[in-house]
Amino acid sequence: MRFLLDTEQRAFAKTLDGMLGSSDTPSTIRSWAAGDPGPGRTLWSRLAEAGVFGLAVPERHEGLGLLPVELGVAFTELGRHAVPGPLVETVAAAALLDRLGDRAPAETWLPRIAAGAALVSLCAPDAGSPYALDADTADAVFVVEDDTVWLAAGRGPLQRSSDPARRLFRPTGATVLVEGPTVRAATSYATDVAALTTAAQALGLGRALLDHTVAYAAQRTQFGVAIGSFQAVKHRLADVLLALEFAQPLVHSAALALASDAPSARRECAAAKVTAGEAAYAASRTALQVHGALGYTEELELSLWIRKARALRDAWGTPAACRSLVLAP
Amino acid sequence: MDLDFSAAENAFRAEARAWLTAHVSTSRLPSLETAEGFAAHREWERALFADRWSVVSWPEEYGGRGVSLLQWLIFEEEYYAADAPGRVSQNGINLLAPTLFEHGTPEQRARVLPPMASGEVIWAQAWSEPEAGSDLARLRSTAQRTEGGWRLTGQKTWSSRAAFADRAFGLFRSDPAADKPHPGLTYLMFPLDAPGLTVRPLGRLDGKPAFAELFLDDVFVPDEDVIGAPGEGWRVAMSTAGSERGLTLRSPGRFTAAADRLARLWRDEADPADTALRDRVADAVIGARAYELFAYASVSRIAAGESIGAESSLNKVFWSELDIALHETALDLLGPYGELADDAADAPAHGGWAEGYTFSLAGPIYAGTNEIQRDIIAERLLGLPKGRR
Ligand SMILES: Cc1cc2nc3c(=O)[nH]c(=O)nc-3n(C[C@H](O)[C@H](O)[C@H](O)COP(=O)(O)OP(=O)(O)OC[C@H]3O[C@@H](n4cnc5c(N)ncnc54)[C@H](O)[C@@H]3O)c2cc1C
C-alpha cells in the first residue's frame, strides 16, 4: 500500500504549474470570456504538447492511455490556474467515445483530441449538465440522452454564466452518432471522468484561492496590525485548509477506483466531487470576505477564481446528486 | 500510488479478525467510565495482552508485535468493526508510552511499559489545572528538589478516569524563578495512592464519575520517575502531544465503523423523502472515508521518511467535528428515541449512540481545544502572523 504521488507524477504537476504560471492566464481568461478564444486555443495546444489530453485517450488512438491518476494531477493544476475552456468536457467526451462500441467516432475524434487539434464539448442533460460549455469555440459538441449520442448542429444563443469564462449553450438540430445499449454504460463512465476532473479542478482552484488569500492577509494591515493576526480571520483560513486537505485524498482515491474500474468508482467520484466542490466554494467565500471590498471588484484578478468556484461546485453532479450517489446501494 | 494491501498485510488483517471474532463478546461491557466497567475493561486489556494484541505496534520485548503503522491501522479498523470494547489503557498507550520511547531511560521503559500493556497498571494524564487549561504553561503545581527525588504540591483537574487509575504523569513547576512560563517545568510519573495525595472524583456531563481532581500535598517522587531532564518538561511533553491530537489517538477505524452503523441505521429507519437528513448521513460517511484516506496518506509519508508535525492539528479538528456530526445525525435519525440513555429499557437496539454522543461533545475541548488547533494550523501550516494570545 502506497498512497502518495510518485516522483514522475509530482514532476508532471510541477511542469504544468510552471508552464501555466508563466502564461499570463488572467488575460487569457478575460479574452476567452469576451469571446476571443485565440490566446486560449494557443494555451490549449501547449497543454496538448505537455500530454494533458493524451491522458484521456487510449494508446490505440494515439494517446497515452486513459490515466485517471494523472488526469487528477493535471486538472488540479488547470484549476489552480483557472484555465478556461471545455477541459472537463473534452476528456469526458474522449472517455465516452472510446467506450461506445462503434469504432468510427473514436477513430475520427480521439487522435485529434490527444493532439490538441480538437477541442470538444459534451452535454448530458440526464447527468445534470444541460448546457454545452464553450460550444461556440468547440470543434464538435456531443450530446447524450438515454441511449443515444448526438452530434449537435447548432448551439443557440449564449446563456450567460455567473462565471463569464464559462460560455454556455443549448445545442440544437442534432444528428444521431451512435445509438444502442452500450451508450448508457459509456455515458456513466464518462460522467464519472467528468466528476473526477471537475473535482480535481475545484481542488486546484481552492488551493490557489487559499494561497492568494493567505498572502493578502499577511500583508494587509488594519488597526495597526496584519489582518492575518486576527483570530477570526485565521480560523476561517484554517477551515479552508482543513476542507481542502481532506478533499485531496478523496480525489486520489476516486482516480484509483476509476483506473481499476472498481465497482466503487461511481460512489468515490461522487464523494470526491461533492467534497472538493464544497471545499473550493468555501475557499472562494472566504477569499471574498478576507479581501473585503477589494474582493468584490472585477479588477481583482482573484475574481476570475472566485466566480468559477460556485459553477464548478454544481457542474457534473450537484452536491445533492453526489450525496445520493454516495448512499446508493 | 495504490491502495492495495500486501499479502502480509492481508494475512495480518485475517489473523486479527479471527482473534476478535473468537474473543469479542456479543454483550456490551458496562461503561468504562464507571467503577464496574473500569474493572471489566481492565480484564479485557489482560485478554488482549495475553495474545499480544494490546499494543501491536510496540517492540516485542515490551509485549507488542513490532508491526508497521499501516498494520496498526488495519488492526484498529478490525477492532472497531468488531465492536470491541473501548480501551481503558489509552492514556498510557497513546501519551505516556510514545514519550517514554522518545525520552525515557531503558530502565523506565522496562519497568513501565509491560504492566501498561497488560492493563495491570492503568495511567491517568495529570496536565490540566483549574487555572491552566489551554494556557497549560501557566500551571502552578510545584516540584521541589529533595533528597533522592522531588516533592509535589498543588492541584490537577479533569483527569480522565483518575478516580480508578493506578498512576499518573504530569508537568510540575520545578524552577519558580524561571522568568518565562515554559522553562523550569519537570515531567514526572507518580502513584495515585501515594501518601499526601487525595483523589476526588468529578462527575462528567452524563453524571458518570469519569473525571477526578488530584490534590497533592508534599507527595514524594523518586528521581527515577522523572521523564527527560528536570526543567525540560515542556519540551518533553510537547514532543509527543502531537500523538494525542493526531492519528494515534483517534484512528480512522473508529469513524469508519460508526459511519457504517450510521448508514445501516439510515437504511433501516429513515424516511427516504427526508433529503436533508440523507445529505447529512452522506456527509458523515464521506467524512469518515476522507479521514481514513488522509490517514493512509500520512502513514505513506511517514514510511517515506517524512515527519508529521503541526499536521496533527488538522487531524484533531477533523476527527472531533466528524465524531459530533456522526452522533448528532444518528440521534436525529432516532427522533424521539434519541434522548434515551444507552441503559434505558427502551434504548434503541443499535446501541451505544447516547454515550458516544456525550463523548463526542468533549472532542473539540480535550487534546487542545479546536480554537487552539486552528491557531496552530493558521500560524504553523499557513504561516500567518502570531496574534495576541
Ligand atoms: C472529556 C475530557 C477529558 C479530559 N481529560 C483530561 C486528562 O485526562 N488530563 C488532563 O490533564 N486534562 C484533561 N482534560 C482537560 C483539557 O485538556 C482541557 O479542558 C483543555 O485543555 C481546555 O482547557 P479549559 O477546559 O481550561 O478551557 P479554557 O482554556 O479555559 O478555554 C475555555 C474556552 O475558551 C477558549 N479559548 C481559550 N484560550 C483561547 C485562545 N487563545 N483563543 C481562542 N479561544 C480560546 C477555548 O477554546 C475554550 O473554548 C479533559 C477534558 C475533557 C473535556
Side-chain angles (χ1 to χ4, degrees), chain A residues 14 32 51 55 80 85 89 98 124 131 160 163 169 185 199-200 204 217-218 229 248 256 273 291 310 312:
Chain A
K14 229 175 135 189
W32 190 274
L55 299 173
R80 195 190 302 278
E89 290 67 20
D98 180 43
Y131 301 104
R160 272 165 41 83
D163 171 13
F169 297 88
S229 65
Q248 173 104 53
L256 286 172
K273 171 76 211 332
H291 280 82
R310 178 83 196 184
L312 289 185

Side-chain angles (χ1 to χ4, degrees), chain A residues 235, chain B residues 316-317 320-321 363-365 368-375:
Chain A
H235 286 192
Chain B
K316 161 77 217 289
V317 175
S320 58
E321 295 187 350
I365 300 173
T369 71
N370 285 10
E371 284 75 19
I372 300 295
Q373 301 314 310
R374 283 183 163 91
D375 279 351

Side-chain angles (χ1 to χ4, degrees), chain A residues 231, chain B residues 125 127-128 133-134 158-160 211 362 365-366 369 371 389:
Chain A
Q231 208 174 42
Chain B
Q125 178 196 16
W127 286 20
S128 305
S134 299
W158 308 310
S159 185
S160 292
F211 276 147
I365 300 173
Y366 67 83
T369 71
E371 284 75 19
R389 196 164 27 252

Side-chain angles (χ1 to χ4, degrees), chain A residues 210-230:
Chain A
L210 177 62
D211 289 349
H212 279 95
T213 311
V214 165
Y216 182 72
Q219 156 256 303
R220 167 79 169 169
T221 61
Q222 289 292 289
F223 303 99
V225 293
I227 58 169
S229 65
F230 298 133

